[in-house]
Amino acid sequence: MDGNARSSEYRKISADYAAAKEKTARAKAAIEANLSKDRQFKRSHLVVTGLLFWIILLHALGIYFFTKGFLLTRLVLDYKSECVAPTLELPGHELGKYSIGCWYPKTFDKAIIILVDALRYDFTVPSIAESHHYHDALTVLHEVARGSPENAFLLPFIADPPTTTLQRLKGLTTGTLPTFIDAGSNFAGTSIDEDNLLSQLRDAGKNIVHLGDDTWHALFPDYFDPNLTHAYDSFNVWDLHTVDNGVNEHIFPLLNPANSPKWDIIIGHYLGVDHAGHRYGPDHPATAAKLRQMDQVFRNITSEMDDETLLVIMGDHGMDSKGDHGGESDDEIEAALWMYSRKGVFGRSQSDFVDPPSTAKERPVWQIDLVPTLSLLLGVPIPFNNLGTPIEEAFIGHDGQDWQKMASVNALTAAQIKKYQHEYASARGLDSAVFANPASLWNTAMHLWDIAISTGKEDILAFKIASDAFRSYESENLNICKSLWARFDIPSMIYGIAILVAGVICLGLFARSDVAYEPSRGRLALKSIAIGTCVGAVFGSGCTLIIHFSSMLDGALLGAAFGGLGNFATLPRSLFRNLWSILPATFWGWLAFVFTISQSIGFASNSYTIWEDEILLFFTGTFGLLTTISSCRQAEPTDRILGMYQSLLFLILTRTASLSRLCREEQMPFCRSTYYASANSSISAPWQLLLPYILALLLPSIIKSYYKSTRSYEGSAVTWIGFALRLGLFGSAIFWTLDAADDGEWFSLDRDVLKTIKSSIAQIVLAIAFAAGLTTFIWADPCVHIEVFAAGGDGQSKTGTPTPKQVKVLGYANAHGSRFFLLFSSWLLAIILVQKPMGGGSIGVLTWQILALLDIIDTNSLSASAIGPIILGMLGNFYFFKTGHQATLSSIQWESAFIPLKTIQYPWSPILLMLNAFGAQILTAIAVPLVVLWKQPPKKPGLLIDVAKAMATHMLFYAVINVATTMWAGWLRRHLMLYRIFSPRFLTGAAVLLVVDVVGTFVAVGGLRWNTPSVAGTFGWD
């Protein structure tokens, strides 16, 4: 009996051991299966990222080649004018000596050149009609020019666009015209290698001292006296006083007679007026205060300078009604020029020219005219590439009748321009017929010059006629050069467009194909593309050695693009569905198609481009109306009610966002700006300071309500949304309150201390957003709560045996979406910080609208449709305008680069500018995976492929827009509005596409690298 009992016990132990072993084996197999699935997911994710990265390269290469051919450049000649080789021999003048003047007797030995950044002409003259803050603040220039015309003159000083400081300095020192491509170098200036005024002054032995804006040192390295020069950072537009105070501190000691031998040329560059305009707008007391300060500075300089010194005061450009510049509006190009001397050598050719022009439309001079004028006044050669004309008031004499002098300086300038024209035509291989008309004018002018010389000095009329003839030659030659430099590299533009169109086709295939993302076939495609790209790069660079059609770098890049595309085209057809699968098959698919294509066609119209924000309002409103109708047709009452509610909410939020508006000049007077305190201001209205606090109170609660609807407000969501996000939003609100206090001087606190407090708060908010937020996203578990309980309540059945346990998972239905939204909200906080209060409010509305869109997509079963990613793209562009931006250079909010910084720092300042300018597009790109993940169960298969297709669709929207704006800009390259409307829109579209590509691939799709394994780690892969 005992033996049987023991045998039974042994069998039981053996069975338990076998069961335990089997259980362990199953558990081990499950772990191995999960690890295998995890590895497979990561390989698939790498393939998806690789394919999208290739698309980024195609877009970058296409934009590069088109931009290279489209943005105009000119040939810079290395020739240099020489003192001993005048362009024309003048009778009675001993040539080639700096001591008396190289080409013409000099008038001055020394000069003080004062550049007041953004000194608009109407800042310097009395008001005619309505009065503004900037009127009658800077009066000395008009007062002296009118009262002592022999000592001073004041004229409108017209800048050639783009009206950015660096490009204007090039024109003011070389006498040549910038081309549009120079605008891109405004923040990364390279030294001027061509002949220029400062180079000629240095060769003449002049000791040059520079004070102020450090941009000069990027253009003219080692030109200035290192012991007397003091340069200051120029890009902190919030700082109105540091640069100006620094210039004042050092310029007046130099004017002391004891220090006069230490210098020959002083260049002082004041920035306060420009920064006041950027920060407050021109019609503001702060701008008026800076102008009054400049008025007193100029009075002091004129009282302390000696008789042998020339004083030049000028603006490099103007500013628009908001204080910005960069474009070609009248307010941006109309600067002021004032010359003063105690000698009394200036004059007017007509008595009614004594009074300075009342507006910039009367008697303007071009900024390039300064170069020959200063060169001849200071006795140095005119720079070789100069196209400017001597300013009449500087040479006509105090009686206004010295036409022999006027004809002489025009003859010298025209001869120099003729020499430049000859060398340029030779270097370019231009036909002589191009300059046939200027050649005829030159012959006529020289004939008239010979007549005037032969008749003698007393024949004033003969010299006047000769002077006018030379000026006609100079004017015609300038027009010819402008037309020559408006030539485009058509082959390069075609290469760029071809690559961009091919990129659109590839994206279309990626957006519609499931098979392309499968690990084995995806790796095949990626490997083939990589091989084609590398082989193409080698082949392309090799071709340039034989054909010499381009540089080796361009050949390699072009070969890389077409090599990758060629191998992609040869991939097996089975890798994709047939090509017609790109076309939509449902109503919503066709709606997405129509939205995209109609916008693309519209960019051929300048009026469409100007009113793009209103057209996007119409499209988004149309979508909200259609989803309201669609929701009414849903079979499930819950889906019907929720879909209608969210659709109506979507419509209301669209109209609410439309209240934020920054009008571009072409929209006036049919548009009223609300983004700032007024249309002429760059600061927020007092009531707008409430918006960040309202946002901090309501936005986390709104997000929480969407989490609560799926019972996902659990785990990390409670801490991040309920506490950290709200804390960061309150920090942002405090920052903008302190910024307004700084603007309005509410406190007696030192500005440096206040700036330190502000930047510290901004840094804390960014640390919450990226350090805390991204860490939370990477390491957090899914936003779920798991409850385990017995089915019977007390754990015992009626028979006394234990009852099975049940598991309740709160947040199960939205495990993927609720966790991924943590990534979105961390970027949301950073982007709200770098927006003005009105822009931050708009971003808050955008967030709510995205959440409403996600519920609309879920209730209408549209997660697999293209409409979700396309609408997100439209929202991104729509809110680009609602955050105070336009497709213009002047709407860039430069001050955002200094929100957490005191000085410009690379790469952080450009990144902050990007977050400010493209914040809406960045957020909508990050939200694209939510279209697929929102309210999806944890174990739904194929989510990575669905997200990849959604992201490809979203990128496709921007790629089509970019192709359209690129093609229309190329087609309309001779349009009058090219550089005012079409070119800025092309540049905006290109920048947005690249930003969305990078963010969508590496942030949004990259976020799945942590999101999906986290959910699978809790619920398993199968």
Side-chain angles (χ1 to χ4, degrees), residues 511-580:
R512 304 295 292 174
S513 173
D514 295 337
V515 184
Y517 299 111
E518 291 181 359
S520 58
R521 300 190 181 188
R523 283 197 298 272
L524 170 65
L526 198 56
K527 182 178 179 180
S528 178
I529 290 169
I531 292 173
T533 300
C534 294
V535 172
V538 174
F539 180 77
S541 60
C543 286
T544 59
L545 299 175
I546 301 172
I547 304 175
H548 301 291
F549 74 95
S550 183
S551 68
M552 182 173 290
L553 175 62
D554 286 349
L557 294 177
L558 193 64
F562 286 109
L565 288 167
N567 270 21
F568 178 79
T570 61
L571 290 171
R573 289 286 301 273
S574 60
L575 193 61
F576 301 97
R577 298 173 182 173
N578 64 70
L579 198 60
W580 292 107

Side-chain angles (χ1 to χ4, degrees), residues 40 168 311 419 499 533 735 750 771 786 802 836 839 898 954 1003 1008:
Q40 181 181 347
R168 292 294 77 244
L311 174 62
K419 188 175 182 181
I499 295 171
T533 300
F735 171 86
D750 183 76
I786 301 175
K836 295 289 183 70
F898 301 95
H954 186 72
V1003 179
L1008 293 182

Side-chain angles (χ1 to χ4, degrees), residues 716-962:
S716 299
V718 177
T719 305
W720 172 250
I721 297 171
F723 175 73
L725 179 60
R726 195 185 299 274
L727 179 64
L729 291 173
F730 270 115
S732 176
I734 294 171
F735 171 86
W736 286 109
T737 302
L738 291 176
D739 180 70
D742 190 13
D743 288 342
E745 299 181 350
W746 298 352
F747 308 135
S748 58
L749 195 64
D750 183 76
R751 287 202 163 189
D752 288 337
V753 175
L754 191 57
K755 175 61 180 174
T756 300
I757 296 172
K758 286 164 49 183
S759 59
S760 298
I761 292 173
Q763 290 168 10
I764 291 171
V765 173
L766 290 175
I768 294 173
F770 290 125
L774 294 182
T775 300
T776 299
F777 169 74
I778 290 172
W779 297 105
D781 292 327
C783 300
V784 297
H785 178 67
I786 301 175
E787 295 179 356
V788 180
F789 57 92
D794 59 358
Q796 298 288 329
S797 65
K798 292 181 180 180
T799 61
T801 60
T803 59
K805 292 186 176 181
Q806 294 186 351
V807 177
K808 183 178 182 181
V809 182
L810 301 179
Y812 180 86
N814 196 21
H816 286 285
S818 60
R819 191 190 184 285
F820 191 87
F821 195 86
L822 299 177
L823 174 64
F824 175 91
S825 58
S826 66
W827 284 82
L828 168 68
L829 176 58
I831 288 170
I832 286 178
L833 171 68
V834 298
Q835 304 293 332
K836 295 289 183 70
M838 198 72 171
S842 297
I843 292 296
V845 175
L846 170 62
T847 302
W848 196 355
Q849 201 162 6
I850 288 173
L851 289 167
L853 175 65
L854 297 177
D855 272 356
I856 292 171
I857 290 171
D858 176 65
T859 56
N860 287 271
S861 303
L862 297 175
S863 62
S865 172
I867 192 65
I870 297 298
I871 292 298
L872 282 173
M874 290 170 52
L875 286 176
N877 282 349
F878 179 61
Y879 280 89
F880 168 79
F881 298 104
K882 301 303 109 181
T883 51
H885 298 96
Q886 288 282 351
T888 59
L889 286 173
S890 59
S891 71
I892 299 174
Q893 298 171 22
W894 302 109
E895 62 273 21
S896 61
F898 301 95
I899 286 175
L901 306 171
K902 291 185 178 180
T903 59
I904 190 167
Q905 294 182 21
Y906 294 98
W908 311 118
S909 294
I911 290 174
L912 289 166
L913 276 175
M914 181 192 70
L915 291 176
N916 171 272
F918 307 124
Q921 287 100 335
I922 289 171
L923 282 179
T924 50
I926 296 173
V928 169
L930 290 168
V931 171
V932 175
L933 302 177
W934 196 254
K935 294 186 179 180
Q936 297 297 333
K939 295 186 179 183
K940 182 179 178 181
L943 287 179
L944 175 61
I945 292 177
D946 291 341
V947 168
K949 291 166 61 179
M951 184 54 67
T953 303
H954 186 72
M955 292 165 62
L956 180 63
F957 170 79
Y958 287 107
V960 171
I961 295 295
N962 178 62

